[in-house]
């Protein structure tokens, strides 16, 4: 038996539009020995009001094609939100451009964060769920035309009154869309934090997502919401173990071996470690080795 995880890698450090830094960040990922890379396309200023800037896109593609990663994925804008009624058309316009960039760059999947909203008193959250599903179904047709997949990532609420779907509800959304071109992106740490916040059974939430998961985000944490708002530097959160820490595998308390020994994912699933090179470049080789061990367990 072989694992359905087909490639392992990191996301490259966002260069904020500097193509020289972008090239250097891809080189750092390649030098780890990873065979996959996720590019935070939102950080590279290639799309302007939903329109691809052709000259810049061509220079960007030339850099990407200079590397021989087995698999590539793109991460869409963090702000993209298919529960945002006011800006929904604009969110879809930007996604269309990013799906076209997937096609040009040879990336097989575009990551889309799950929606979030602030329902008014008495307003049904089901209306927001329906809005997101309809938008994903429409975008799935575009993705199919390019032969790529949209990956819906589970997130967690960051403010009082904010509505986001649980991991199990994200899985239900993917099933409701019913397209081979929409899969779930299982962010294990996000699921851990959401489960703690909402008093859900963490492992049950993972089991709900796994059968529709076609992409993995792996980084460690303690599954604790950030309840201290006055850190002088973000890195102080590591010492306290609070929030979405993006730590190397093994620095938190996520039970990685039992999870990967139990769960099975969709064929051609990528495993991307969101472990930043600007913080943990010296820890990435060990994390890559650990990830390969997890994939071996997944195949057992």
């Amino acid at each position: 038996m072989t694992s359905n995880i087909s490639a392992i890698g990191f996301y490259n450090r966002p260069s904020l539009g500097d193509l020289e830094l972008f090239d250097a960040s891809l080189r750092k990922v390649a030098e780890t020995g990873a065979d996959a890379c996720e590019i935070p396309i939102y950080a590279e200023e290639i799309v302007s009001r939903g329109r691809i800037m052709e000259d810049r896109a061509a220079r960007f593609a030339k850099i990407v094609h200079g590397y021989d990663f087995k698999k590539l994925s793109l991460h869409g804008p963090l702000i993209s939100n298919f529960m945002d009624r006011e800006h929904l058309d604009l969110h879809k316009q930007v996604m269309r451009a990013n799906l076209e960039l997937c096609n040009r760059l040879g990336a097989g999947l575009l990551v889309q964060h799950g929606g979030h909203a602030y329902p008014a008193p008495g307003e049904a959250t089901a209306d927001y769920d329906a809005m997101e599903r309809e938008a994903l179904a429409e975008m799935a047709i575009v993705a199919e035309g390019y032969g790529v997949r949209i990956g819906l990532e589970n997130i967690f609420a960051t403010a009082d009154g904010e509505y986001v779907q649980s991991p199990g509800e994200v899985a239900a959304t993917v099933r409701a869309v019913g397209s081979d071109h929409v899969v779930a992106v299982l962010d294990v740490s996000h699921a851990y934090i959401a489960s703690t916040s909402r008093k859900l059974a963490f492992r049950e939430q993972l089991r709900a997502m796994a059968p529709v998961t076609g992409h993995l985000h792996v980084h460690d944490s303690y599954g604790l919401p950030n309840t201290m708002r006055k850190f002088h530097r973000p890195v102080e959160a590591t010492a306290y173990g609070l929030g979405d820490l993006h730590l190397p595998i093994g620095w938190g308390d996520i039970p990685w071996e039992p999870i990967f020994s139990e769960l099975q994912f969709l064929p051609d699933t990528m495993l991307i470690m969101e472990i930043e090179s600007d913080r943990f470049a010296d820890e990435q080789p060990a994390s890559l080795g650990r990830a390969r061990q997890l994939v071996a367990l997944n195949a057992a």
Side-chain angles (χ1 to χ4, degrees), residues 17-254:
D18 186 324
L19 294 187
E20 288 187 7
L21 288 179
F22 172 69
D23 191 1
S25 73
L26 287 189
R27 189 177 309 115
K28 282 184 175 293
V29 175
E31 287 172 351
T32 68
D35 56 10
C37 183
E38 182 157 296
I39 298 170
I41 198 69
Y42 62 85
E44 304 306 334
E45 295 199 89
I46 297 174
V47 176
S48 177
R49 189 68 180 181
R51 177 169 56 97
I52 295 174
M53 308 310 294
E54 294 296 343
D55 177 67
R56 186 173 180 81
R59 286 182 284 142
F60 189 84
K62 184 177 180 180
I63 293 170
V64 172
H65 293 149
Y67 295 87
D68 59 353
F69 293 111
K70 180 180 176 183
K71 297 284 184 180
L72 287 174
S73 55
L74 303 185
H75 199 308
L78 304 180
I79 199 173
S80 186
N81 178 13
F82 284 169
M83 293 185 185
D84 177 7
R85 185 175 287 107
E86 180 181 357
H87 303 101
L88 185 58
D89 288 342
L90 184 55
H91 288 304
K92 291 191 288 188
Q93 187 176 347
V94 171
M95 178 175 274
R96 286 188 186 95
N98 283 326
L99 287 169
E100 182 173 343
L101 286 172
C102 280
N103 182 55
R104 295 188 190 189
L105 298 173
L109 182 138
L110 175 68
V111 177
Q112 164 79 3
H113 274 191
H116 60 96
Y118 291 89
E123 188 176 15
T125 57
D127 293 341
Y128 291 101
D129 295 339
M131 188 191 318
E132 181 174 56
R133 291 175 184 185
E134 290 170 8
L136 285 168
E138 180 182 338
M139 292 297 99
I141 297 170
V142 180
E144 182 177 10
Y146 290 123
V148 302
R149 299 192 289 186
I150 298 166
L152 185 66
E153 180 178 354
N154 59 297
I155 60 173
F156 55 90
T158 58
D160 292 341
E162 183 181 25
Y163 169 67
V164 302
Q165 293 183 329
S166 69
E169 290 165 343
V170 170
T173 290
V174 171
R175 289 190 177 94
V177 173
S179 169
D180 291 340
H181 294 273
V182 176
V183 299
V185 177
L186 173 53
D187 187 306
V188 180
S189 179
H190 288 181
Y192 195 12
I193 295 169
S195 297
T196 303
S197 299
R198 298 177 60 172
K199 296 180 172 55
L200 303 171
F202 171 47
R203 297 286 294 277
E204 287 298 324
Q205 293 296 308
L206 298 186
R207 292 182 189 113
M209 278 196 76
V212 295
T213 291
H215 198 76
L216 294 165
H217 280 171
V218 168
H219 47 97
D220 222 333
S221 75
Y222 294 91
L224 299 173
N226 185 3
T227 52
M228 296 178 70
R229 303 297 182 184
K230 296 182 180 180
F231 290 121
H232 292 280
R233 295 287 185 273
V235 293
E236 291 181 317
T238 299
Y240 288 85
L242 297 175
D244 190 24
L245 298 170
H246 287 258
L247 297 175
I249 300 174
W251 280 42
D253 65 358
I254 293 175

Side-chain angles (χ1 to χ4, degrees), residues 3-22:
S3 173
N4 282 337
I5 299 172
S6 59
I8 307 170
F10 297 93
Y11 78 110
N12 68 289
R13 182 179 180 181
S15 64
L16 304 180
D18 186 324
L19 294 187
E20 288 187 7
L21 288 179
F22 172 69

